[in-house]
Amino acid sequence: MSRTARVAEEIFSRFPRFRRGLVVARNLANAPQNETLEQLLAESVRRAGEAPVDMQNDPRMTAWNETYKALGIKPNKFPPAHRSLIKRVQKPGATLPFINSVVAIMNIASIEGVLPVGGDDAAQTSGTMALRFALGTETFAPLGKPEETESPEEGEVIYVDEGTDTVMCRRWNWRNGHETRITESTERLVMNIDGLGEDSATRAAEMRDRVAELLAEHCGATVETALLTPDSPELTLPF
């Protein structure tokens, strides 16, 4: 049976302007150090501090805040991933640690594009990787806390490995799971670049291509890309 990355029809029906850029990477080398990426990350943080985003009024923020509220999620309590990151790097003297090359690339793209960028180790999954509404029976262990197992709320938007019902991200893109985290051993991954609101397709595609370029150049990865839309909601994965 072929494996896929998929956005459920119900997600697109409720949020028709949502677009998910995908980067699928194979044969990558995820180094713990990369001087060029360290410089690119530092430069992204510096530019973010010099030209801060209006956290309350910028449409790249408000689109997600409104979507979270529509889902019954308080964005101040459970902020979208890029909101937390942008808020952090806009503080005076802000820096970000270099965890590994792939995480650096995700952070660079999220800061530059002001949108959520996340990735998962595909080797740690066993079924369709789906963005859908939760049944409430799935399981989730927060990143860095594998001993803490919980379940999402019924109707919550989750990103889940349907082979095991393991949640890879809760509340759309609020918090990543531990089991599919990116490590230095990761050789295959699927990365998501999410666009909402005005020009969502263009912005998601631009950062998708930026991510693909960085993964190929700095991680030696073989990459392919896609854009999930209401007319094309899934991609067959090459592994």
Side-chain angles (χ1 to χ4, degrees):
M1 179 182 296
S2 62
R3 295 174 60 200
T4 61
R6 177 173 60 87
V7 173
E9 179 182 351
E10 294 80 7
I11 299 292
F12 282 127
S13 294
R14 189 160 179 187
F15 305 101
R17 299 180 74 177
F18 171 62
R19 298 293 182 268
R20 168 160 280 188
L22 287 183
V23 180
V24 181
R26 293 173 285 162
N27 306 316
L28 67 85
N30 189 18
Q33 293 180 317
N34 183 302
E35 184 176 341
T36 302
L37 284 176
E38 289 182 32
Q39 292 174 350
L40 289 174
L41 179 60
E43 180 67 14
S44 294
V45 173
R46 183 187 65 78
R47 288 198 301 267
E50 292 178 349
V53 171
D54 185 336
M55 302 295 290
Q56 299 302 318
N57 299 304
D58 190 291
R60 295 169 295 183
M61 293 295 177
T62 57
W64 283 102
N65 291 342
E66 292 165 2
T67 295
Y68 268 44
K69 290 176 183 178
L71 290 166
I73 303 169
K74 296 178 180 180
N76 290 332
K77 184 177 182 180
F78 304 106
H82 74 305
R83 175 175 160 175
S84 298
L85 179 63
I86 298 298
K87 183 178 180 180
R88 177 178 178 179
V89 299
Q90 290 184 170
K91 294 179 179 179
T95 61
L96 285 180
F98 189 93
I99 297 172
N100 56 55
S101 295
V102 171
V103 172
I105 290 169
M106 290 192 291
N107 285 334
I108 290 166
S110 190
I111 294 168
E112 291 182 356
V114 193
L115 42 63
V117 179
D120 294 271
D121 188 329
Q124 304 306 314
T125 67
S126 60
T128 293
M129 305 170 77
L131 184 74
R132 61 167 172 80
F133 291 105
L135 301 176
T137 57
E138 304 86 353
T139 58
F140 175 78
L143 180 64
K145 300 178 179 180
E147 72 286 352
E148 297 184 12
T149 301
E150 59 195 48
S151 293
E153 300 174 9
E154 183 179 356
E156 178 184 323
V157 176
I158 58 172
Y159 184 46
V160 61
D161 171 12
E162 294 192 323
T164 61
D165 269 354
T166 298
V167 177
M168 298 179 285
C169 197
R170 285 197 62 184
R171 296 185 175 91
W172 204 316
N173 46 44
W174 166 64
R175 176 168 292 178
N176 291 328
H178 187 80
E179 292 189 33
T180 59
R181 69 195 185 282
I182 301 295
T183 71
E184 293 169 24
S185 300
T186 299
E187 297 180 350
R188 297 180 291 169
L189 64 81
V190 176
M191 201 174 292
N192 305 305
I193 301 91
D194 285 355
L196 265 182
E198 295 181 9
D199 300 322
S200 57
T202 298
R203 293 189 295 109
E206 286 178 349
M207 281 302 108
R208 174 203 65 190
D209 294 345
R210 172 73 163 148
V211 165
E213 176 185 350
L214 291 172
L215 286 171
E217 180 177 355
H218 297 287
C219 300
T222 301
V223 298
E224 63 180 79
T225 64
L227 187 69
L228 300 188
T229 70
D231 293 330
S232 183
E234 68 179 48
L235 174 72
T236 299
L237 301 175
F239 36 67

